[in-house]
Amino acid sequence: MSTSRILLAGAAMVATTQHFALAQEAPKADLAAAEARAAATAKQMTPDEKLLLTHGPMALPFFPGTVIPPEAVPGAGYIPGIPRLGIPALTETDASLGVAWVGGLRKDGATALPSGLAQAATWNPDLLYRGGAMIGAEARAKGFNVLLAGGVNLMRDPRNGRTFEYLAEDPLLSGELVGAAIRGIQSNHIISTIKHFALNGQETGRKYVDVKISEAAARESDLLAFQIGIERGQPGSVMCAYNRVHGEQACASDWLLNKVLKQSWGWKGFVMSDWGAVPGVDAAIKGLDQQSGEQLDKQVFFGDQLKAKASGDPAWAARLDDMNKRILTAIYAAGLDKNPAKPGGAIDFAANARIAQETATQGIVLLKNSGALPLAKTIKSIAVIGGYADTGVVAGSGSSLVHDAKGPAATRSLGDDGPFAALMQQSYHGSAPLKAIKAAAPQAAITFRDGRYIADAVEKAKQAEVAIVFATEWRTEGLDQPDLSLPDGQDALIAAVAAANPRTIVVLETGGPIAMPWLGSVAGVVEAWYPGARGGDAIASVLFGDANPGGRLPVTFPASVAQLPRPKLDGSDWVEPNFAGDAEPGKDKLATDYDIEGSDVGYRWFARKGATPLFPFGYGLSYTTFARSGLKVSGLSASFTLTNTGKIAGDDVGQVYLVSRGAEAKRRLVGFQRVSIAPGASRTVTVKIDPRLLADWEDGGWDMPGGEYGFALGANAMELGPVVKVRFAARSWKDGQ
Ligand code: BGC
C-alpha cells in the first residue's frame, strides 16, 4: 500500500507524499547504456539483418498466405529476433485492459481490468501502476514481451467508440495515469507502448479522417497528455495512429514523429505503426521505425522496398540504422534479452482478480443519491432488473477485449457479415452482480427480471422495497455511438421502473458518458463503467456500503450532444461503420476541425461556453461528507486540507484548478490527489504544479505571461472554492529545458 492510501485516524496530519510513491520504485533503465549497446549491435548487423526488426506480421491465423513462425505466441504481432546477435523476437499482445483474448485462440485467458475510464475514475496513479504491473506479469507468463497498452487519446467526443479504452479528457490526469500504468507494465522487463499517437479522437472513418488543429492547441492538449505520459512512463515504444493530421497519415507525419516526438521531446524509443496504418515506404523518413501487422497494409513496405532505398541513398541507410538502433535501445533498456519472457509461467489469478476488483471499486462513481444508498443488509426485498445482471458485467469489444480461460459468460451477436463479425459481439465477464447482491443481503427476497418486458419488470419493482436496474451501453473499437442514449429501450425501462418504485437505483455499465432523461425520477445512480473480472462484487460492495464510493468522473457527461463542439460527429452521416474502414468512396473529404475547441477539451469547453453539463469532470459523491479548505499556492507548489466531516471513512480527491490568468478566465486541472480519510480527520496535501499547465504554446516553446494567476480547490471542475491569487514572473522555455 502506498503512503497516500494509509488511513489516518484522529488529528490532522500533514501528507508530504507526492504521487507515485509506489511507482517510483520501478527500476530506472539506464537509457544511455542501452543506446550505446544498441549502436554497437547495429554495427554488427548485415544489410539483410537490418530489415528483420523493421516489420512483422499479425500473429493470428486470419490471413490466408501468412506464415506465422511456430515460436510466435498467438497475439497481435510478431517481429522475428536475430539469434546470432542475441536479439530476442518481439512477441506482442494487446493489453489496454489485460492480455487480450484474441477470440479465444490461445485458450489461456487473462485477468480483465476494468475499462480505461474506470481506471481513470480512481484518480489513483498507484493503482494504475499495480494494474500495469499485473497485466505485464500475466503477459510475461504467456511469453509476451511487448504490450500494446497505454491508450491515452483525450476524449474529444463522448460518442467515440474507444472511449472506454482511454483514460480522460484532461492532459494532466491522462498523462500521469498512463505514465504510472506504463511504469507498472515495464517493471516486468517488457516493453509497453503508449498509443495512438496522435489525435485519434473518433472511430468513424478512422483510417482517413483528417484532423485540423493548430500546433498550439495540439501541444496544450492531446500532445501534452502524451508528453507527460512519456516522461512519467518512459515507454519503449509509441504506436502511431490511424487518422490523418494536416493531410498526412499520423504514421507518416514528419511533424508528429520526427519534430515533436523525437526532436522536441528527445524520446529515444521506436515508433511502431498501428495495424494497417502505413501508407508507404516514405513513412520511414517521416519517423516511423517499424511496420506492424504488415498483412493489413497494402504492401510490406519496410522489407525489400526499404532495403532498395537504403542501398542507394546514404540518407535512407542512416535512417535504417537509426530505426534498428531505436528498436534495440528499447529492447536493451527494458532488458528483454537478459530476462526472456517464456510461455507457461505461473499466474496467481486470484491475487490478480483482487487488483481488478480494487480498481473497479475505487473507480465506481456515485452520481446521485437521494438517501437510498447504501442499502441496508437487512433489506427484505429487492427487484434486480436488466443488464444480464444474473450472468455478469459487460465488456467493451475490439482488440482490447480480455476474457478468462472460461471465455465470455454470455455473448450477444450484433451481426455484421464482414471479416470483423467476431468483434461484433457484446460479451460479459462472469462476475454476476445478482450473485454478489444475494451474498450481501442473504435474508432478502430477490427477484430478477431481464428487462425485456417492461410491464413485467414494473410489476416486480412494485412488489420490492428497492428496485435496482442494471443498464448497459456496449462500445467497440471500429464504431462510434450514434448518440448518448442507452440502447435497447433501456431508458424507457428505467423511467417505467422509477415511476413504479420511488426507491429505484440505476447501476450503469457504460463505455462513456450517456444522457439520463430519467435522472430526476430515480433515487440513486451508480456509474460502474465496464468493471472487469470482478465487477459484480465491486458493484455490490458499493451498493451495500462495504466500500464507500470515491471515484470521480474523468470525463464530462454533457446534458446533450448540442453542447458539444461538434453536435454532429464528422462523417457519421455518410461513412459506413466498419473496422477496416479504408475503402470508403470520397474518403478524402472527411476532415474534422479540432480548432473549434482547440485545447479547451471537455470541461474547459463547458467553462468557456458557460454551459452546464449533466455531470462535470471531477464529480463524484460519497457516503460521507468532506470539507475542502486552506488552499495555498507557493511557487509551483499547492497545498490544501481535506476533512472528513461525516461519520464513516472515505476517499476524497483534492483537485486544484487554474481559474484565471491576468484578466483571462481559465479552467485547467493543475494538481490532484486521492486520499483516504477517517471520520473527523483531516489531511493536508501538497501537489506540484507542472508549469506547462499554466503556459501557452507559442512560437515553438512554452510561454507564461507575467502577472496574477488565480487558483481554486474544487469538488469538481465546476464547483470551486475561494480563489487564491499568486504572481508569477514572465517565463518562456523550450521542451527539455
Ligand atoms: C488497434 C490497436 C491495436 C492493434 C493490434 C488496431 O486495430 O487500433 O490499438 O493495438 O490493432 O491489435
Side-chain angles (χ1 to χ4, degrees), residues 664-720:
E664 285 174 286
K666 294 275 169 199
R667 194 71 52 92
R668 299 181 182 179
L669 179 73
V670 297
F672 66 91
Q673 186 153 357
R674 179 173 178 143
V675 286
S676 297
I677 317 177
S682 292
R683 290 199 60 184
T684 297
V685 172
T686 303
V687 294
K688 289 233 151 59
I689 299 173
D690 186 320
R692 288 171 294 195
L693 299 166
L694 309 181
D696 295 331
W697 180 265
E698 257 180 45
D699 301 329
W702 297 100
D703 183 67
M704 266 176 76
E708 221 168 39
Y709 287 62
F711 297 90
L713 183 60
N716 56 63
M718 301 282 159
E719 212 182 311
L720 302 167

Side-chain angles (χ1 to χ4, degrees), residues 76 94 148 162 195-196 206 239 242 274-275 399 477:
D94 274 297
L148 312 177
R162 291 189 93 169
K195 68 185 185 182
H196 307 89
R206 68 174 179 172
M239 186 191 294
Y242 280 130
D274 201 342
W275 274 231
S399 56
E477 174 182 344

Side-chain angles (χ1 to χ4, degrees), residues 2-8 13-19 122-125 362 548-552 622 624 626-628 640-644 649-655 672-678 681-687:
S2 82
T3 41
S4 66
R5 301 267 316 142
I6 293 173
L7 264 177
L8 299 174
M13 224 177 122
V14 176
T16 47
T17 325
Q18 294 296 315
H19 296 318
T122 69
W123 291 59
N124 186 347
Q362 285 200 27
N548 187 354
R552 300 287 184 266
S622 167
T624 187
F626 298 101
R628 307 172 179 101
F640 52 87
T641 300
L642 304 175
T643 303
N644 183 342
D651 287 11
D652 193 19
V653 179
Q655 306 168 33
F672 66 91
Q673 186 153 357
R674 179 173 178 143
V675 286
S676 297
I677 317 177
S682 292
R683 290 199 60 184
T684 297
V685 172
T686 303
V687 294

Side-chain angles (χ1 to χ4, degrees), residues 397-480:
S397 202
S399 56
S400 67
L401 180 64
V402 181
H403 277 298
D404 66 19
K406 288 197 238 94
T411 57
R412 172 183 168 199
S413 172
L414 295 167
D416 193 273
D417 59 357
F420 296 96
L423 295 175
M424 292 300 292
Q425 300 256 358
Q426 181 166 333
S427 70
Y428 292 79
H429 300 304
S431 174
L434 182 63
K435 189 171 165 211
I437 289 170
K438 284 182 173 166
Q443 303 145 14
I446 299 176
T447 50
F448 175 75
R449 284 295 182 273
D450 61 21
R452 286 182 303 138
Y453 293 94
I454 291 182
D456 177 39
V458 162
E459 208 43 52
K460 288 296 156 201
K462 272 188 193 153
Q463 293 162 14
E465 249 180 83
V466 166
I468 308 175
V469 186
F470 283 82
T472 58
E473 188 246 17
W474 174 83
R475 298 188 184 206
T476 180
E477 174 182 344
L479 302 180
D480 290 319

Side-chain angles (χ1 to χ4, degrees), residues 214-397:
S214 73
E215 172 156 18
R219 285 300 210 123
E220 294 166 15
S221 59
D222 300 64
L223 295 185
L224 185 54
F226 275 96
Q227 189 176 14
I228 294 171
I230 288 171
E231 289 164 359
R232 303 274 193 268
Q234 297 294 326
S237 184
V238 167
M239 186 191 294
C240 50
Y242 280 130
N243 52 286
R244 291 184 289 172
V245 179
H246 298 308
E248 301 286 351
Q249 294 296 145
C251 284
S253 165
D254 180 60
W255 172 57
L256 283 177
L257 307 184
N258 283 334
K259 301 223 161 57
V260 175
L261 178 64
K262 293 180 176 177
Q263 287 160 23
S264 193
W265 297 349
W267 177 73
K268 307 289 186 198
F270 71 101
V271 181
M272 70 164 74
S273 71
D274 201 342
W275 274 231
V278 186
V281 69
D282 279 6
I285 286 292
K286 308 279 181 62
L288 179 65
D289 299 302
Q290 191 178 67
Q291 182 181 9
S292 319
E294 61 196 9
Q295 314 97 312
L296 276 70
D297 286 316
K298 291 204 173 71
Q299 292 171 38
V300 177
F301 300 112
F302 283 20
D304 290 346
Q305 291 196 32
L306 188 55
K307 186 177 175 185
K309 294 270 190 195
S311 61
D313 182 333
W316 278 85
R319 177 76 259 270
L320 181 57
D321 282 343
D322 181 51
M323 291 159 79
N324 278 290
K325 275 188 260 180
R326 285 177 169 275
I327 299 166
L328 289 167
T329 298
I331 290 175
Y332 295 148
L336 259 51
D337 56 331
K338 300 210 166 120
N339 308 273
K342 295 192 192 88
I347 296 176
D348 186 346
F349 283 112
N352 293 353
R354 285 195 290 275
I355 294 177
Q357 183 171 340
E358 187 178 349
T359 307
T361 308
Q362 285 200 27
I364 287 176
V365 183
L366 181 62
L367 292 175
K368 176 171 181 181
N369 185 14
S370 42
L373 290 171
L375 299 171
K377 290 187 179 166
T378 50
I379 190 166
K380 298 274 179 329
S381 57
I382 309 174
V384 177
I385 296 161
Y388 286 74
D390 57 335
T391 305
V393 289
V394 74
S397 202

